Amino acid sequence: MNDTRTPNSPTRENDRSIKSESAVPKSYNREFAKHARLYDLPTDADEHSRLDLQHQAIRIALGGSNYPEPGLVEKALANAGEIGANILDVGTGSGAWAIDMAKQFPQANVLGVDIVLPNVPETRRPSNCQFKLADVNKDMSTFEPVYDVVHWRLVEAATADTDLFFYEAARILRPGGILIAIGANAVGNVPY
């Protein structure tokens, strides 16, 4: 049986995503997510600008692509056929990756989720790209198994239980879907 739900369909627990008052506390004139005990970085416009630069640097490292192994991603999205392809960007940050994917695959529904919504002007966001509040540590179990690509990039420090995340990512992927997981490890001593 094919699942025809889209990423914007109701979730299993009636969309219990976090509320929009998430980015309130300020320190050194920067905004931080008040409920995110694992995410120590700011969640303001300056941080989203930094994330946009990081996105471009990763694209350069990937030879101009939004993901490693382009053939696998294209095959996973092509397998969706008539029911339509769905892409989930977990920890979307500034939304740059989700927007790029929506432009590259206009036939796909792209959903970017994070603890704070990106401040993306409506004119810059393709119509097939949506953003939703969700916490990788609390809300993954609410997503339905409708995704062909799940993207999780540089979110490991904010993920309390990576084993649980990988379980949930596998659960919400359709057969033939792929998980793109890109992490970073500090090398040597990191001064604080």
Side-chain angles (χ1 to χ4, degrees), residues 5 15 54 56-57 71 82 110 120 149 177:
R5 291 171 289 198
D15 193 11
Q54 176 179 281
Q56 293 306 320
E82 294 178 14
V110 181
V120 178
V149 174

Side-chain angles (χ1 to χ4, degrees), residues 6-22:
T6 67
N8 296 324
S9 297
T11 55
R12 290 189 302 167
E13 295 181 26
N14 294 326
D15 193 11
R16 63 178 183 83
S17 295
I18 55 182
K19 304 294 183 243
S20 62
E21 70 273 359
S22 59

Side-chain angles (χ1 to χ4, degrees), residues 114-144:
D114 209 326
I115 58 173
V116 175
L117 293 176
N119 186 15
V120 178
E122 196 72 27
T123 56
R124 194 175 146 236
R125 185 181 53 79
S127 61
N128 62 323
C129 181
Q130 302 296 319
F131 296 105
K132 174 180 166 180
L133 289 170
D135 185 332
V136 67
N137 298 304
K138 300 175 185 171
D139 298 318
M140 288 300 293
S141 65
T142 67
F143 290 98
E144 296 293 339

Side-chain angles (χ1 to χ4, degrees), residues 23-33 39 41-54 92-96 116-121 124:
V24 176
K26 292 190 178 202
S27 178
Y28 302 102
N29 293 320
R30 302 292 306 268
E31 289 184 9
F32 293 82
Y39 192 78
L41 296 175
T43 56
D44 55 18
D46 287 343
E47 177 63 8
H48 282 185
S49 293
R50 184 193 69 78
L51 292 171
D52 284 341
L53 289 172
Q54 176 179 281
T92 197
S94 69
V116 175
L117 293 176
N119 186 15
V120 178
R124 194 175 146 236

Side-chain angles (χ1 to χ4, degrees), residues 67-81 85 101 104-105 107 148-149 174-178:
Y67 40 82
E69 301 297 329
L72 292 176
V73 171
E74 291 158 8
K75 181 179 177 184
L77 294 174
N79 284 343
M101 290 297 284
Q104 184 176 353
F105 298 100
Q107 77 284 4
D148 303 288
V149 174
R174 288 182 180 148
I178 63 166

